[in-house]
Amino acid sequence: VVINKADIDPKAAAFAKHQFESALGLLRSASAHWRPKVLTLSAQTGEGIAGFWQEIETHRKTLEASGELAGKRFGLLAHGASVSASCVPAHLSLAAAGVPPARLFGPEHGYYGVEQDMVPSESARDPWAGVEIVSLYGSDEGSLLPRPEAFAGLDLLLIDLQDIGTRYYTYAATAVWVAEAARAASCEVWILDRPNPLGGEVIEGNLPEPGFASFVGAFRMPVRHGLTLGEIVRLEAHRREWGRSPRVIA
């Protein structure tokens, strides 16, 4: 859990940190090897960012050492911003750690983020890892939702997408729809959550009118929603009555 803009009111940030830590202490951790941390940082001053990246690396190493990923055949939904602290693409970083994804999924703009707005990307083989990339933004509307066979042979789907904090970006819709499809295919879903770059303090904008949902307004929430991607998926899981929400790693 990351509390951004801590430089604006350090006392309020410290209080929020304490409240989150108290709340997390009441919850049972999804992992026997990791307890979620609560961090404060400031994108303006840079304070806390180095510690944030260190926690990400520590969590990755913990997963590797515990063997939680070992033995699982998993897919990875990611894009160009899904990189390690050394700016290595997520799938190559995981492969270097001994846990390579068995299949990749690419959202709008393609897995590497090189396609322009509204330009479809085709499914292909990754030139570096050689694994299949399943396009979730092809030449027809049906490509936005993966077919059940896309999860064939997978035990787990990791979702690692950086959103921008407004509902106009399509990554939130892709994350929810793919998580729902994976659930229907009996594939477990973990969301590698990231901070909302706009923060969660301010909510602004209108709500989509009923009957006007679209790829850039798929859910009933304001333009500036104040949520992380993991929170959006959990909210939609509740609204859609999935029963069990995907695991969110923050």
Side-chain angles (χ1 to χ4, degrees), residues 125-211:
R125 289 276 169 186
D126 180 68
W128 285 278
V131 296
E132 179 186 11
I133 301 177
V134 177
S135 172
L136 300 176
Y137 195 79
S139 55
D140 59 78
E141 186 178 348
S143 67
L144 302 181
L145 187 66
R147 298 179 182 276
E149 53 264 32
F151 303 100
L154 297 181
D155 306 303
L156 172 69
L157 174 69
L158 298 181
I159 299 178
D160 183 19
L161 296 173
Q162 174 64 64
D163 197 32
I164 63 164
T166 74
R167 62 174 163 83
Y168 295 133
Y169 256 42
T170 59
Y171 298 136
T174 294
V176 171
W177 295 346
V178 171
E180 190 167 48
R183 175 179 174 273
S186 300
C187 181
E188 188 178 0
V189 178
W190 294 2
I191 300 169
L192 309 181
D193 211 9
R194 294 166 175 258
N196 182 327
L198 299 181
E201 300 87 356
V202 179
I203 296 175
E204 297 178 309
N206 65 311
L207 295 172
E209 292 291 332

Side-chain angles (χ1 to χ4, degrees), residues 24-160:
L24 288 171
L26 299 175
L27 300 176
R28 182 179 179 181
S29 178
S31 170
H33 307 279
W34 179 261
R35 292 291 300 178
K37 307 293 193 304
V38 182
L39 307 174
T40 58
L41 61 79
S42 168
Q44 181 72 28
T45 66
E47 184 179 356
I49 292 179
F52 167 62
W53 278 114
Q54 183 58 49
E55 282 300 319
I56 291 177
E57 285 298 302
T58 301
H59 183 260
R60 178 182 65 81
K61 292 176 182 178
T62 301
L63 282 179
E64 294 169 10
S66 68
E68 286 191 69
L69 278 180
K72 286 185 181 290
R73 184 175 167 84
F74 69 96
L76 175 66
L77 167 56
H79 59 174
S82 309
V83 297
S84 70
S86 304
C87 291
V88 177
H91 69 298
L92 298 180
S93 181
L94 287 166
V99 282
R103 192 168 300 137
L104 304 176
F105 295 82
E108 184 181 6
H109 305 296
Y111 185 83
Y112 288 99
V114 298
E115 301 295 350
Q116 295 300 308
D117 182 42
M118 299 188 71
V119 174
S121 56
E122 300 300 325
S123 296
R125 289 276 169 186
D126 180 68
W128 285 278
V131 296
E132 179 186 11
I133 301 177
V134 177
S135 172
L136 300 176
Y137 195 79
S139 55
D140 59 78
E141 186 178 348
S143 67
L144 302 181
L145 187 66
R147 298 179 182 276
E149 53 264 32
F151 303 100
L154 297 181
D155 306 303
L156 172 69
L157 174 69
L158 298 181
I159 299 178
D160 183 19

